[in-house]
Amino acid sequence: MATVHKINEDLVKERQKCTFNVQELTYLLDGGEEVTKERREFENILRNVKELQDEVPEVYLSHKERYENAVRKTCILQNVRNDFEKKREVLSPRNIFRAGYAVIKDVSPFFLHNGMFVPTIIGQGTPEQQAEWLPKAKAMAIIGTYAQTELGHGTFIRGLETTATYDAKTEEFILNSPKVTSYKWWPGGLGTTVNHCITVAQLYINGKKYGIHPFIVQIRDLETHKPLPGIKVGEIGPKMGFATANNGFLGFQNFRIPRKNMLMKNAQVLKDGTFVKGMNEKLTYGTMVMVRVNIVSDSAFHTAMAATIAVRYAAVRHQSQLKAKEPEVQIIDYLTQQHKLFIAIATSHAFSNTYTWLYQAYLKVVEDLGKQKQDHLPELHALSCCLKATSSRDAGVIVEQCRLACGGHGYMASSNLPIIYGYTTAAITYEGEHTVLLLQTARYLMKAWMSALEGKVLAPSVAYLVDWLKSDKQRWQNTPEVIVKGFQHVAAGKIKDAFDAIQKHVKAGKDYEDAWNLASVQLIKASEAHSRAILCDGYLRETVRTSSSVSPSLAKVLNHLVQLYIVYWTLETAGDLLVYSNIGKDDIAVLKEKYEELLALIRPNAVGLVDAFDISDEILQSTLGSYDGRVYERLMEEAMKSPLNKEPVNQSFHKYLKPFIKKAKL
Ligand SMILES: CC(C)(COP(=O)(O)OP(=O)(O)OC[C@H]1O[C@@H](n2cnc3c(N)ncnc32)[C@H](O)[C@@H]1OP(=O)(O)O)[C@@H](O)C(=O)NCCC(=O)NCCSC(=O)CCCCCCCCCCCCCCC(=O)O
Ligand SMILES: Cc1cc2nc3c(=O)[nH]c(=O)nc-3n(C[C@H](O)[C@H](O)[C@H](O)COP(=O)(O)OP(=O)(O)OC[C@H]3O[C@@H](n4cnc5c(N)ncnc54)[C@H](O)[C@@H]3O)c2cc1C
């Protein structure tokens, strides 16, 4: 039986101070009591699977051993999950998915199977193709990934070089990678795990190019797992993080696949080679929109993980004296520490709330597309791009801030903060590089601005441009609602400035594309300001909405958090607000005080707030952040697992050090 340890006294006291019901907040964050219960039930099942316990911490394994262990555990995890899901209609797959963090210490080599391979078959396949591939894929009789990026191109996907040339005689496509830069590079699981992939390739029919399309390709023999003839595949090697994601490369040499393997929900190639255009060629990019929406939720979770670790640690850790002769204080009582950490809690809430409405907007667009309606697609694309970009970037900054807030111990692998940083920082690049996605949103914002000038009705997320043009700037008040308007004014002002900058360059004789490039720093700033306005507005509205359905004590805490988020960003962007809104210096001085008041109000609830994220110790995997707060004992226990501590004298002493020291003595 596992030993039950006493909970650290500071944490006990912190939990007694909490003014709201932690369980109530957990239910709210999960999406309901039933969802929480289901998630906990699944986590409990996993906790009791003996084969999933690591004998040696993964960090001490070689690259190869680590991968093999990850595959072993992912297979067990998937079986447990399949059994669990067979017995019920799962309420929240994303909540079930999060339990996987307790098993795979880094990123699963199957990550892309559920994350992109299956969704692409659903989103891009015809009903017949879905009937053929989905049952096998869902049962994992075939395992796949999403192979789009190449050595030469990741962002500019119209420039991909893999070719799929249609041969009407045999009704096949012939896949080729003409140059080294045409090799697929990056797909997760591609290295040595998957036997299938979605390959995105340039379609050629009778020498004519028809743009990029997705194809299902079997790349390995299902029995022997050997690459099929004409396939060159392997792993790309170690990276900054993602140690077990098994990212791979892939090249094709005259590799033939049947015509039916082109996913044809949008565009089709008929038997005779006739190309039938789809409703909108950008629907081929649909899986990326879905993943970008999901990244907002991932960012919320990774921020919650880091906040949980750093807040619990800050409650347990005592360092320095505030006043002479008094005991050393809990570091959480330093205001600067609260400044680093409470924004982490609020940010996670901001992203969860944003994901809630963004996911609904995504579902609505999918439903509309089923009815051949695509009116809301451009707005969704613009929102998913800037919110993916901002949430992943903010999460990266916050996780690093939490690591720094843990001082030296935050640098230990056993704190788990380095691995969490590995996930968050990768998300800034993958699924659309940060700047590139901000520029996609900027493209939409420039059109929206033009429409606003023409007096047209705008989509809801940019309707503030019309208000801004019509009205005088509102008299400033330090209320959340007026501050949100202030963020919209900043966004509108920056959008106008970027637009004017482009016009100025065009008037000076530049091509529109060059003018765009010359204005692009202003364009990304406009896009960032738009994201911040959307985040603050959505978070405030969702909080107001939920506050009426929760207990008054919880509503109060949620209100403190949303205010903290809004005031924090007001102070961070005060310069912009001074330029573009009616805020005055005195208002800023008042808000500085307000911010300090909010830190004090949140202080007694800090531990309760991170407890409410309900991230189990197995998922958190952190010596610094466990529920019981046995920080120092755990650090020592983990250190003792180092293979270097298993023998009193390491052989290198006899081999190298002893002769070296002897020589030095002579
Ligand atoms: C958009 C691009 C940058 C540029 O594309 P183009 O050059 O073709 O376009 P233009 O700039 O010319 O614009 C044309 C036009 O199109 C519009 N547009 C563009 N994109 C879209 C879109 N997606 N939808 C709708 N419309 C779109 C654009 O607005 C323009 O419109 P106008 O002309 O009207 O202005 C493009 O090239 C691009 O997107 N580049 C980025 C490439 C990218 O994102 N690659 C991703 C590769 S895959 C990857 O990185 C994977 C990473 C790993 C992810 C892991 C996720 C796993 C998740 C795990 C969770 C698992 C959960 C599972 C749960 C469970 O287990 O159950
Ligand atoms: C951990 C990880 C996992 C991944 N998994 C997958 C996967 O499973 N499948 C897959 O297909 N891909 C995957 N990728 C690839 C990923 O999608 C690409 O790396 C990403 O889209 C960025 O493209 P790039 O590498 O070509 O960057 P580049 O576009 O070369 O970016 C380099 C720099 O150029 C700038 N830049 C490029 N174009 C423009 C522009 N138009 N305007 C202004 N600046 C520009 C960028 O801002 C950036 O600063 C993964 C990547 C990582 C890091």
Side-chain angles (χ1 to χ4, degrees):
M1 223 171 88
T3 327
V4 180
H5 293 285
K6 236 178 98 194
I7 303 221
N8 170 283
E9 276 178 20
D10 285 313
L11 281 182
V12 172
K13 284 186 206 144
E14 292 296 333
R15 288 177 178 130
Q16 284 162 354
K17 277 189 229 167
C18 187
T19 63
F20 67 97
N21 182 334
V22 170
Q23 183 102 309
E24 188 186 2
L25 179 54
T26 302
Y27 293 160
L28 181 72
L29 288 171
D30 274 342
E33 182 175 344
E34 287 309 309
V35 182
T36 302
K37 285 190 174 152
E38 182 183 70
R39 175 177 59 71
R40 286 183 183 158
E41 190 188 336
F42 185 60
E43 287 171 10
N44 215 22
I45 293 172
L46 285 182
R47 195 170 288 130
N48 291 311
V49 180
K50 245 173 94 192
E51 298 74 26
L52 291 176
Q53 316 295 328
D54 282 321
E55 277 171 29
V56 180
E58 276 196 2
V59 74
Y60 295 117
L61 302 181
S62 71
H63 182 61
K64 188 164 171 275
E65 288 166 337
R66 216 165 160 178
Y67 163 71
E68 288 163 358
N69 192 39
V71 174
R72 178 185 72 80
K73 288 192 296 183
T74 311
C75 290
I76 300 172
L77 168 68
Q78 200 60 42
N79 282 333
V80 175
R81 183 174 164 174
N82 289 347
D83 286 346
F84 185 79
E85 292 187 348
K86 253 183 234 155
K87 289 182 207 140
R88 76 206 73 217
E89 194 187 325
V90 172
L91 300 169
S92 167
R94 288 194 75 73
N95 267 330
I96 297 296
F97 168 76
R98 104 181 200 182
Y101 285 77
V103 174
I104 313 301
K105 308 296 180 202
D106 201 309
V107 176
S108 161
F110 294 15
F111 202 37
L112 267 287
H113 177 83
N114 286 328
M116 291 191 84
F117 181 69
V118 172
T120 307
I121 299 174
I122 296 172
Q124 312 281 323
T126 61
E128 298 74 43
Q129 289 176 316
Q130 291 189 27
E132 170 162 8
W133 300 105
L134 264 188
K136 291 182 224 165
K138 282 192 169 166
M140 298 197 79
I142 58 171
I143 303 171
T145 184
Y146 185 81
Q148 180 173 286
T149 307
E150 297 170 357
L151 261 176
H153 292 92
T155 290
F156 184 60
I157 48 183
R158 276 187 288 139
L160 293 177
E161 294 166 353
T162 305
T163 55
T165 308
Y166 187 60
D167 179 353
K169 285 196 277 324
T170 58
E171 289 180 33
E172 288 172 321
F173 294 102
I174 311 161
L175 298 176
N176 270 298
S177 313
K179 299 190 271 180
V180 64
T181 47
S182 330
Y183 269 67
K184 297 293 173 192
W185 190 271
W186 271 120
L190 180 62
T192 46
T193 313
V194 303
N195 46 37
H196 280 69
C197 63
I198 305 285
T199 291
V200 181
Q202 297 285 359
L203 171 65
Y204 282 88
I205 308 171
N206 296 326
K208 188 173 167 199
K209 187 167 154 181
Y210 287 90
I212 56 166
H213 295 275
F215 300 84
I216 290 205
V217 189
Q218 180 179 344
I219 57 167
R220 288 190 167 95
D221 184 274
L222 294 186
E223 244 346 280
T224 63
H225 205 58
K226 286 202 173 132
L228 297 176
I231 296 288
K232 191 172 168 196
V233 62
E235 198 233 356
I236 63 173
K239 296 136 295 187
M240 185 170 161
F242 270 52
T244 51
N246 197 227
N247 300 90
F249 65 80
L250 169 67
F252 300 99
Q253 205 180 11
N254 291 322
F255 188 76
R256 287 177 171 263
I257 53 170
R259 186 181 65 93
K260 67 178 169 65
N261 284 29
M262 174 173 145
L263 291 176
M264 297 206 206
K265 187 171 184 174
N266 301 316
Q268 288 122 43
V269 175
L270 306 184
K271 282 183 186 176
D272 64 357
T274 306
F275 179 75
V276 183
K277 233 176 132 175
M279 171 171 66
N280 176 345
E281 61 180 24
K282 298 302 174 199
L283 292 179
T284 314
Y285 300 179
T287 312
M288 289 186 277
V289 177
M290 181 210 73
V291 178
R292 287 170 193 152
V293 169
N294 285 341
I295 286 172
V296 178
S297 162
D298 297 343
S299 301
F301 186 58
H302 295 144
T303 310
M305 284 178 96
T308 304
I309 295 168
V311 167
R312 285 185 183 155
Y313 177 70
V316 170
R317 179 79 164 173
H318 290 247
Q319 185 99 245
S320 314
Q321 295 163 301
L322 263 176
K323 291 183 195 150
K325 294 194 190 142
E326 285 195 359
E328 291 186 79
V329 291
Q330 289 169 280
I331 58 173
I332 198 169
D333 281 327
Y334 294 113
L335 203 73
T336 46
Q337 190 77 359
Q338 295 170 17
H339 173 55
K340 289 176 214 173
L341 299 184
F342 297 173
I343 186 63
I345 303 173
T347 299
S348 180
H349 281 249
F351 294 163
S352 296
N353 280 288
T354 302
Y355 173 72
T356 305
W357 65 256
L358 185 63
Y359 185 61
Q360 291 310 316
Y362 167 75
L363 290 180
K364 174 82 179 85
V365 168
V366 171
E367 189 192 324
D368 280 359
L369 288 172
K371 298 177 200 153
Q372 305 292 303
K373 272 170 58 186
Q374 48 176 332
D375 320 8
H376 300 297
L377 180 63
E379 186 188 23
L380 176 70
H381 170 57
L383 282 169
S384 61
C385 281
C386 72
L387 291 172
K388 179 271 181 189
T390 308
S391 65
S392 57
R393 184 60 169 255
D394 285 0
V397 171
I398 293 272
V399 171
E400 174 64 351
Q401 191 159 292
C402 288
R403 182 185 74 75
L404 296 173
C406 294
H409 296 326
Y411 197 69
M412 293 294 297
S414 72
S415 75
N416 206 25
L417 288 164
I419 293 247
I420 301 171
Y421 185 66
Y423 308 140
T424 49
T425 200
I428 302 172
T429 304
Y430 67 57
E431 217 53 59
E433 193 278 329
H434 182 257
T435 306
V436 168
L437 292 194
L438 288 176
L439 287 172
Q440 279 293 304
T441 303
R443 192 173 159 119
Y444 176 81
L445 295 175
M446 291 303 101
K447 287 189 181 173
W449 179 250
M450 181 83 102
S451 300
L453 291 178
E454 289 165 1
K456 292 186 181 153
V457 177
L458 298 191
S461 60
V462 280
Y464 66 84
L465 294 177
V466 178
D467 297 344
W468 189 78
L469 274 172
K470 270 199 243 155
S471 66
D472 277 344
K473 284 184 208 162
Q474 204 170 347
R475 201 177 63 78
W476 187 268
Q477 276 177 290
N478 275 336
T479 62
E481 291 74 15
V482 174
I483 299 177
V484 167
K485 284 256 172 256
F487 286 129
Q488 292 174 344
H489 290 166
V490 172
K494 290 193 174 198
I495 290 167
K496 178 191 181 304
D497 285 355
F499 184 89
D500 291 349
I502 295 175
Q503 299 308 314
K504 199 176 118 201
H505 291 303
V506 169
K507 275 195 191 127
K510 301 278 183 204
D511 289 341
Y512 186 81
E513 292 77 6
D514 288 330
W516 175 272
N517 193 27
L518 287 169
S520 58
V521 173
Q522 295 195 50
L523 285 163
I524 59 166
K525 298 286 173 200
S527 209
E528 280 169 350
H530 174 69
S531 302
R532 194 63 64 204
I534 296 282
L535 279 164
C536 289
D537 182 40
Y539 182 18
L540 183 62
R541 274 192 289 112
E542 283 291 319
T543 307
V544 171
R545 192 178 62 80
T546 43
S547 288
S548 57
S549 58
V550 298
S551 64
S553 55
L554 178 56
K556 203 167 166 185
V557 180
L558 296 180
N559 187 267
H560 292 157
L561 280 181
V562 71
Q563 284 198 59
L564 181 95
Y565 187 79
I566 289 173
V567 176
Y568 175 92
W569 279 106
T570 309
L571 298 175
E572 283 292 301
T573 58
D576 286 339
L577 284 157
L578 283 165
V579 173
Y580 294 104
S581 80
N582 273 347
I583 199 170
K585 265 168 70 181
D586 294 346
D587 301 309
I588 293 172
V590 172
L591 284 174
K592 280 183 188 159
E593 277 178 29
K594 174 81 189 166
Y595 181 68
E596 288 156 10
E597 273 168 31
L598 285 164
L599 291 178
L601 286 168
I602 291 170
R603 167 68 188 88
N605 285 319
V607 169
L609 280 166
V610 298
D611 284 351
F613 289 133
D614 201 29
I615 307 174
S616 68
D617 286 353
E618 290 82 1
I619 291 177
L620 215 50
Q621 298 169 51
S622 173
T623 45
L624 308 188
S626 61
Y627 188 83
D628 61 15
R630 289 176 61 251
V631 168
Y632 302 110
E633 294 85 345
R634 281 177 198 268
L635 278 166
M636 188 56 89
E637 284 158 16
E638 283 306 306
M640 292 317 289
K641 292 180 187 164
S642 164
L644 293 178
N645 291 328
K646 299 287 176 222
E647 50 193 5
V649 178
N650 181 262
Q651 54 163 324
S652 64
F653 173 75
H654 301 290
K655 271 190 182 165
Y656 312 113
L657 260 184
K658 199 170 173 183
F660 176 74
I661 292 168
K662 270 202 171 151
K663 201 173 160 200
K665 272 187 190 156
L666 286 176

